Amino acid sequence: MESKKELRKLISMRKKQVPLEERLLRSVPVMERLMAVPEFCKAENILFYWAMPDEVHTQEAVMKCVAEGKNVFLPVVDGDNLRIRRFSGKASLVPGESYSIPEPDCGSEEVRIQDIDLVVVPGVAFDATGGRMGRGKGFYDRLLAGASDSCQGGPYKVGVCFDFQMVDAVPREPHDMLMDAVVSETGICIVEKRTECVKNGTR
């Protein structure tokens, strides 16, 4: 198994081989598959992320969900932690303290992770058993750990990525949070007591 450092380098190289325009096109089927996940369809309160250029593009999906009446929230970096604020339109977004990612301003409604039904989680790499490797800051691991001890197990966690970000095995540490499902361009991996991978709509 590769180390996290080696894996981040590998995925970075793969990303550089795919132009931005192609990443935008590849993002469309990922978002289509995400929004067809039953848990996503049922969710009323969804924590999305506002994508950086090298991530699966979420912006159109965010706007569509708002138009459909779902409550959409975005993460806000506060030191070493993430806060959760309601997305009420592009006009309410301000540059965040981490990577200058747009975030809802301080006047936006703030909720707890326990109030969220489903979290759309970005990452550098994922595997079919729900393993996820982030950028190394631990923001999502700390956020999701805050809800994992509840009797309901916290919100449904869906990792989204390009096919080239799926690997055989992501290196894991005790604090790493597992996904409930991972969605890429060509497949959905649903993580249960056993792992079921759905490729092009078939099990």
Side-chain angles (χ1 to χ4, degrees):
M1 181 184 294
E2 295 170 293
S3 68
K4 288 188 175 184
K5 182 178 180 180
E6 292 171 333
L7 188 52
R8 287 193 179 97
K9 183 176 180 180
L10 172 64
I11 299 301
S12 177
M13 291 175 58
R14 290 180 179 178
K15 284 182 178 180
K16 290 176 182 178
Q17 295 171 353
V18 182
L20 174 60
E21 295 76 11
E22 186 174 343
R23 291 199 297 272
L24 294 176
L25 289 174
R26 290 190 183 191
S27 296
V28 174
V30 181
M31 289 294 101
E32 289 176 346
R33 288 179 182 278
L34 168 67
M35 291 189 284
V37 171
E39 287 79 5
F40 187 96
C41 297
K42 293 184 293 185
E44 295 181 2
N45 300 318
I46 299 175
L47 175 59
F48 253 103
Y49 67 91
W50 198 260
M52 293 191 288
D54 67 339
E55 296 176 323
V56 171
H57 192 72
T58 58
Q59 281 79 328
E60 281 77 14
V62 166
M63 302 303 293
K64 182 177 181 179
C65 287
V66 171
E68 292 177 350
K70 290 185 180 292
N71 300 315
V72 175
F73 300 84
L74 295 176
V76 174
V77 176
D78 180 13
D80 291 332
N81 298 303
L82 292 179
R83 294 179 177 272
I84 302 171
R85 291 182 185 154
R86 180 186 288 271
F87 171 78
S88 57
K90 292 182 180 180
S92 69
L93 298 179
V94 296
E97 67 176 68
S98 181
Y99 305 102
S100 294
I101 303 170
E103 304 172 341
D105 60 33
C106 59
S108 303
E109 176 190 3
E110 187 168 328
V111 301
R112 306 171 306 158
I113 186 62
Q114 291 86 349
D115 300 316
I116 298 296
D117 301 317
L118 183 143
V119 183
V120 182
V121 188
V124 173
F126 294 87
D127 65 35
T129 63
R132 168 187 176 269
M133 184 182 72
R135 294 180 184 269
K137 300 289 187 178
F139 287 124
Y140 278 92
D141 290 319
R142 285 189 291 274
L143 176 68
L144 296 172
S148 63
D149 293 333
S150 70
C151 60
Q152 296 179 338
Y156 195 79
K157 303 173 287 294
V158 185
V160 295
C161 64
F162 299 110
D163 284 345
F164 61 76
Q165 292 175 275
M166 290 294 295
V167 298
D168 291 336
V170 169
R172 293 183 190 173
E173 297 178 49
H175 64 269
D176 291 334
M177 298 296 295
L178 295 178
M179 301 294 100
D180 296 303
V182 181
V183 179
S184 66
E185 299 151 71
T186 60
I188 303 173
C189 292
I190 301 171
V191 183
E192 299 174 346
K193 291 183 179 179
R194 59 190 177 86
T195 301
E196 294 181 275
C197 289
V198 181
K199 284 290 185 181
N200 295 319
T202 60
R203 289 189 185 276

